[in-house]
Amino acid sequence: MYSDRVKEHFINPCNVGELSDADGIGEVVNPECGDMMTIYLKVADECIKDIKFKTFGCAAAIAVGSVVTEMVKGKALEHAKKITQEDVIETLGGLPENKIHCSWLGVNALRRAINDYLDR
C-alpha cells in the first residue's frame, strides 16, 4: 500500500517535463523492471535553479521523480549530491518493499545529471 505522500506525488507530480537548454542530463534504466528516468538540471551559481524529470515507470517511479526534484530545487549542488535512497523513501513516507528500487532511479538519475553538468 502506498503512503498518502506517494499518492499525492503520483496524482499531481511536480517538475514533469524536460529542459531544452539543460546544463546537465542524467538518465538511468533499471534492468530488472525496465523503468527509466531522466532528470534535467539548470544550474546557476552552483545551485539547482530549475529541474525537470521524465519517467517511464509505475506510480512509485513517478512519485520518486517528483519528490527528488522537489528535494533539490533551489539547493546547492553539494546538498543535492548527498541525497540518498533512504532520504527519498523517508520523504515519501515509505515505499512498499517491492518498490524500493524506484528510489534508486531518482537518486542515480540526479547524480548522473550533476556529474554531466560538472563534466561539461
Side-chain angles (χ1 to χ4, degrees), residues 3-18:
S3 70
D4 288 341
R5 186 99 167 133
V6 171
K7 291 175 192 173
E8 174 188 327
H9 278 276
F10 167 65
I11 294 168
N12 298 302
C14 305
N15 307 306
V16 175
E18 45 185 277

Side-chain angles (χ1 to χ4, degrees), residues 1 16 116:
M1 181 156 179
V16 175
D116 183 49

